[in-house]
Every structure is written in structure tokens, then in C-alpha cells.
Amino acid sequence: MHVSLLRVSISLNKVELSVGESKFFICTAIGEPVRLEWYNPQGERIVPSKRMSLHTETSRSRLIIYNAIIEDAGIYRCQATDASGHTEEASVVLEIYQRLTFQDVQSPQEFRHGETAEVVCDVISSPVPVVVWYYQDKEITEEHHSRFQVLANNNLQIHQVTKADEGVYRCEASVEARGEIDFVDIAVVVNVPPVLSVFQQSFNATADYQESVTFTCITSGSPDPMVTWHRKGQQLEPSEQYIFNRLEGGRSMLTIRNIRQGDGGTYSCKATNKAGSQERELFLKVFVQPHITQLKNVTAVEGSAAMISCVAEGEPLPDISWRRASDGQTFVDGDKSHDGRFEVRGRHGKSVLTISGVRLADLGRFDCEALSRIGGHQKSMFLDIEYIPKFLTNHTIYYSWEGNPVNISCDVMSNPPATMLWRRERFTISAEGTANTRVHSAEGKSVLEVTPMSDRDFGRYNCTARNNIGVRYQEFILAQADVPSNPYSVRLSAVSQRLATVTFMKPDSHGGVPISYYLVQYKEVGSQDWRDVKSHSVQTTVVLTGLEPNTTYEVRVAAVNGKGQGEFSHTETFQTLPIREPSPPAVHGQRGMGKAYRLGLVKQDDGGMPIVEYIVKYKTDKEEQWMTKLVPGANDFAMLQPLQWNTRYEVEITARNVKGLSEPTFYQFFMPQKPDITGKKSLFSGLGLGAVVGLGLGALLLLLVLVDVSCFFLRHCGLLMCITRTLCSKKTATSGKGKEIEEGKAAYLKLPLKEENGKESLKPDTIEIKVHSDNSIHTKPDDSKA
């Protein structure tokens, strides 16, 4: 029987591993193993877990240890077993050590001034580390710093720590066996209790004078103390009255605004930080300014006496004075006015102003002022005057007519407000009114609306105004209105062929009611038909239009008011001017487009008949012959064209109506040099695009005609030949014209005229082209009007 050799080996014999590290080991078996197993230091077979992993093949197995801990140290064995149950094994020694580790070292670490500070540096390792402390790059030794001591737990102890001990301390740990070293920097903070001082402890202020007082506390300490303000055991909070401020240098301020008497007393300033707190007291003494405690509005009756009292208090007791707001006059204790109506008496903070024989002018505001060395106080009162009703208008006569409503207004000033009644012949008119009266009331005003229906409604009406002071009456008269009297001084002015202006003077009487307008009537002498013209509003000037020339007219004027039309004025007679030749027209000029000039025509006096036409004659200043252009009378301009460039023109314009011609108006203008648009002179530069195209088409048509005529005589073909043969076939053999055509003596064509714009003229005029046997061409205007 063959026995196989079984050998086992592990990749590593001895391994050092720090806490938290991971490692793997490979076990290899030579031979024919049927099973590979690992055993931990406790002799237990290893099964896979979160921290230990196994990867086994036939002759190879890998053990992985994750995040090693101290308890993982020891001897690990790998055992191989063959088919016969024979086993072989190999082992590896795993040593676990603790690396240098600083555990939760706090920075900064704070201490109170004067206490014993212990700066904590918690460091672990295996084996135990050596710890050294440094401050300002120097090692701390007990020999040189008696206040410093490194304790057995590696912490640094500082006796009676001060602000000067603040800074960064280094805790350095090392393990000599491994050459391992590490450090941590720790900031040491020394807190100093607050120190509090004040510049001024006692303050004075005046109440109710909108004064402010500011307390100041100066603090020091580390960290910077928080300052709070207290009064009567309560912490003050920011508000409209309490204002808190903090400035550099540890200055904290409390401002008390709008000081009142109750704000006096003790205040405290408290400074607090981590190291402790301190408190100081300050005192506010409040003086009371003068204060008016009694001043009331007074109501007095006109003509009686009024007494106004003002009472004030304060420390010291204030002096009281009076001021009349209407004129600014002042009164003090013992004063008496020049007229003796105003007098002041006062004592012990009370003053009485007496006004005798009160007048309406005394109505208004009076100011009472209390003054002391502390300050002053002022209040105002209103003196109201009651009086009997007073009527405000002297308009007591009203005019109307039957059926026309009129408003009679009764305006009253009174205090207190008056009640108002209307009476008619001892009968009171109720507020609801009657069949032809209505009452409209408002404060201080009552309007009686009367619609007269007969003569009985005209006459006297009484307005009664009453209040608790007295009663007053006012009588109104409602009179019958009349039509206006006649206007006078009728005059005619600016009389022309078709216009006349009528002016006149207003009538002496408008009849009691306003004039609405004036009626102007006119007619031809001998006619019975008057024509009416109304004035605009009440203007005393009226223009008559549409008159006939050289005609005598009569005119009269009447005024019209609400009542009706008054009498006519005296009749005046006038005669319009006869028809004559028109006045010369006014002229103004303006350059037109291209070689044109626009002549503006302004019609003047047409002589009584419409302008029929304007006769415009113009020529250059170097020519003798005039060119004439007729312009319809309705036109307001004449266009002169075509004109010559760089030439002065003289113009003579005459207006014509049916009567004849006006005197001529003379005018001159100058045509400038031809504009150079392209910079080069061109034959067609003065023509528009349409004119150039029209000329081109005309030239082309003329060329076609010449070619057709040549074909007729030379080749006996073409359009002309076809027309001739058609005509000849319809005529007899004796036709003389057909013979002439055959012989080629002459032929006629009529071509349409071309205007400058290239369009065919609609006029019947044509150009006759005569072609002779010698092929010469002559043109002449056709005299026929076919």
C-alpha cells in the first residue's frame, strides 16, 4: 500500500499587528489533503464571521483577520488531513499591540483665573508611552517652573493659573520600542471675572420734558462680560424708553428716554461671564417740570363777561401767563388791557383771565403757559362766543314772472345755529311747502323756492331766524319781472358787398332778470320779411352774412330775457357795396419738384363775386414774350413748369371775376442751378424713371415703323403691305390711292402722341408721318379731329 507524504506550511511565521489593522495568512498543503482547517489561539476551529474570513481550496486556505483587537493575539494553527485520517499542521504567531492614540483630547480647555488648572491629555499605547509637555517651544520641567507639574496620569497641572499662562500647550507621547511618536496641541484659555466701574453714579433729570439720561458702565474681564441692566429686581429689556448700546473699551450704556416722574430711583449695572459677575448701582433723581392740570374751553354770550381759569403745578411752583392766538398779545399776573376789558389775577399756581364786554373778535384760541427754572408747559383753550342771528346778505329784492320759479335765499350767521322759518302775510310756510312754494334748508341757509302763479304770489316774504340768544327778522320782496328796454346806439361798420357788422349799447333796464341774448333783425328796404340773427350769449356785436351787393337794408335790435322779448331799437339803414373788380391776390412762392415752382395764391377781397380764375403770366428776365397759365379761382396755388435752371423769372398775377380784372400782383423768383445727383452730366439726369422708360418705348416703336415701311417698299411685305392689300381688295381697280401705294409715292400713318411721362395721350391729336418715294419722312400735326 502506497502512503502519500503530507506537508503543511504558512506564508508567515510571526506577525506584529496594531489594533484596528487587518491581515491575511495563506496555508499551503503538499500531498493529497482532503481537508484544511484553521484553529485559533484557544484551540477552537475557526468558522467564518464578520471579522474572520476563510477561503479554502483543495490544497490552499486563506485566513483573513479584519480590525484586529488585543484578544486576537496568540498562535494560529493550520491543520491538513488526508484520506487515511493522517494530519499535519503548521502555526503562525500573531502579536497585537496598541498604537499611540489620543483619546478625546479637548481644545480649548478653559480655567478660572487663580485656580489650579489641570490640562488633560489622555493618551494610550502598548507599552505605556512616555509623555512630555511643551509651551512656547520649550519643554516644561518641574525644576524650572515650580507652578507646573506633570501628573502620573500624564496631565499637566498649573498652580494659580493667570491670564499670562494662556496659549497653546503641546502634549507629546512616544513609544521607544517601536520608535513611535505623536503629539496634540491644546489651547489653554484663562477666564478672568468681570471688573466693573462707573464714571458717574448720580443723575438729575426733569420729568415730562422728553429728556433722556444715559448711564455708562465700564467693564473688563475674559471673556468679555455680558452687561445687563436692572431696576427693582427686574431685568430691563430694550424698548422705546430703554435704549442699550455697547461701545469699544468695554463701555455699556443705558439710555432712558422721555423721562417721567416714576422713572426716578436706583438702577443697577451687572457684568457676567464664565468666571463670575459683578454689580454696581446708579441713582436717577427726577425733577417735576411745570404741568397745567386744569384748563377748559369757555362759552360766553356776546356782550357779557368771560372768566378763564388755568391751574398748574410743578417744583418749583411755576409762573403763569396768557397769550391770545389771534394777535399774539400776552397777559401776565396784574396786567390790564388799554381798553380795560382784559385783566389777569393769580396766586399759588392759579391764574384767572377775565374778559368784560365779550365781542365776536375775542372768539378763538387762548394759550396758558406755566414757566419755572426747570422748564415750561403750555396748553390751549377755545373761547366760544354765542350771539343772536345775523343776516349776511342785503339782496332782498327778487324778480320773476308767472310760471317761472325763483329761489329766495336767506343766509344767517349765528351761534348756536338758528332755526329758520318763512312767513307770508302772518302765515308760516311749512317745511313741506305749498302748491307753489318749497323750502330747502341747510346749516346757516334757507332757500324759499316760489313759482308765481298769479299776482297774489308777488309781494313780501319774511325770514325768521331764532336761537336761544334771540330772534331776528329779514323781509324779502318778490317783484314782477318785465321784458328789457330797447337797446340803443345801433351802428353799422365793416360794410362790404355781402357782410356788415352791427354794434349797439345794452338797454338801460334788463327787466329784473338777466338778458339771455339779443335779437338782430334785418331786411331789404321795401320788403316785409325780417330775417333773425341771435347774438352769441350777451355780446353786443353781431355780423350779418349772405347780404346782396349794392342793396339797401334796414336793421333793428331787441333784448330778450326770461320774461320775453323787449322793444326793438330805432331802425337803422345801410347799403352794401356794389360789385366791383377783385383786389389783387397775395402771392407766396415755394420750390417744387424738379423744374417746377409752386406759386401760392391767397384770395383778397373778391369784389362781391367769386373769383372765376387767376391769370398767371411769367417769363425769364431775359425774354420779352410772356407765357400764360390760367388757374381756376377755387385753386390756392399755380404750378409753373417746366422752367429753366439757373434763371430768374418774373411773374404777373391777375384775379378775374364777372365784373372784370384786378390790378396785377408782381412777383419774382430764381430757379437754382441744375442739381448734380450722380456727379456726372447725363442726358436723362433730369428725368424720372417713368419718363426714361416712356422715351425708350417711343423710340422702339418708331424704329419698328421705319423697318416696316422699308419692308413695304423694298420687299413688298410687312404689316403695312398686309393692310394695303386688304384695303385694295375692297376697292375698285380705278382707285387712285391704291395706285399710288403700288408706285410707292406716298403713304400715311397716324401714331399716338407720347407725353413726357411715357403714357399715351388721350387727346385726338396725332402725328402724321408721310413717306415719300425717296424714303424721306416728314411729320406734321393732323388737322383732322377724327
Side-chain angles (χ1 to χ4, degrees), residues 401-413:
W401 57 93
E402 292 180 6
N404 179 66
V406 64
N407 291 331
I408 304 175
S409 180
C410 182
D411 299 316
V412 173
M413 180 177 69

Side-chain angles (χ1 to χ4, degrees), residues 54-274:
L54 289 174
H55 299 278
T56 303
E57 299 173 357
T58 303
S59 59
R60 179 184 175 92
S61 179
R62 183 170 66 168
L63 170 65
I64 304 174
I65 300 175
Y66 296 103
N67 300 324
I69 61 177
I70 294 293
E71 289 76 9
D72 292 336
I75 299 174
Y76 288 80
R77 295 181 297 115
C78 176
Q79 186 181 77
T81 305
D82 61 12
S84 63
H86 178 71
T87 62
E88 291 288 338
E89 66 179 27
S91 63
V92 59
V93 178
L94 176 60
E95 294 182 355
I96 306 295
Y97 67 91
Q98 175 65 55
R99 297 182 61 182
L100 277 174
T101 303
F102 293 94
Q103 293 185 317
D104 298 328
V105 177
Q106 300 293 323
S107 180
Q109 297 183 27
E110 300 187 24
F111 307 95
R112 191 174 187 274
H113 177 83
E115 69 179 4
T116 297
E118 184 175 338
V119 185
V120 176
C121 180
D122 187 4
V123 58
I124 59 173
S125 73
S126 58
V128 175
V130 176
V131 175
V132 179
W133 285 85
Y134 293 90
Y135 178 59
Q136 295 179 349
D137 296 330
K138 293 181 180 180
E139 182 180 349
I140 298 175
T141 61
E142 296 181 9
E143 291 79 7
H144 295 92
H145 300 85
S146 58
R147 292 191 303 112
F148 291 82
Q149 181 182 0
V150 179
L151 303 177
N153 60 1
N154 294 324
N155 293 343
L156 176 65
Q157 187 181 72
I158 307 173
H159 293 277
Q160 295 182 348
V161 67
T162 66
K163 195 70 176 173
D165 297 328
E166 272 192 344
V168 178
Y169 290 76
R170 174 166 292 184
C171 174
E172 184 180 275
S174 61
V175 178
E176 185 175 352
R178 288 193 304 273
E180 187 177 3
I181 190 169
D182 199 2
F183 67 89
V184 65
D185 288 336
I186 303 171
V188 172
V189 176
V190 179
N191 295 325
V192 180
V195 176
L196 194 153
S197 61
V198 296
F199 282 141
Q200 182 179 345
Q201 269 191 302
S202 181
F203 295 82
N204 296 331
T206 303
D208 302 321
Y209 207 63
Q210 294 185 344
E211 284 189 359
S212 298
V213 166
T214 300
F215 298 145
T216 303
C217 281
I218 301 175
T219 61
S220 62
S222 180
D224 290 340
M226 182 181 69
V227 176
T228 55
W229 296 88
H230 302 262
R231 180 170 185 248
K232 296 180 180 180
Q234 299 293 323
Q235 181 176 330
L236 301 180
E237 299 293 338
S239 63
E240 290 186 0
Q241 185 180 14
Y242 299 118
I243 307 298
F244 298 91
N245 282 305
R246 187 177 179 90
L247 304 179
E248 294 180 355
R251 289 187 296 169
S252 295
M253 294 180 290
L254 166 64
T255 300
I256 307 174
R257 301 176 63 234
N258 299 329
I259 291 176
R260 299 184 293 270
Q261 185 174 4
D263 294 328
T266 301
Y267 292 77
S268 63
C269 170
K270 185 177 182 180
T272 306
N273 67 3
K274 295 179 180 180

Side-chain angles (χ1 to χ4, degrees), residues 502-559:
V502 182
T503 59
F504 48 88
M505 300 293 290
K506 295 181 180 179
D508 294 331
S509 171
H510 54 62
V513 290
I515 293 175
S516 303
Y517 61 91
Y518 293 97
L519 179 66
V520 178
Q521 288 189 338
Y522 68 98
K523 68 179 183 66
E524 296 180 13
V525 173
S527 172
Q528 300 300 319
D529 297 328
W530 290 92
R531 284 177 277 184
D532 297 342
V533 178
K534 291 183 180 180
S535 67
H536 180 68
S537 185
V538 291
Q539 293 183 359
T540 57
T541 300
V542 175
V543 177
L544 304 181
T545 60
L547 304 177
E548 294 295 328
N550 199 26
T551 304
T552 302
Y553 287 90
E554 293 179 327
V555 63
R556 61 186 183 181
V557 184

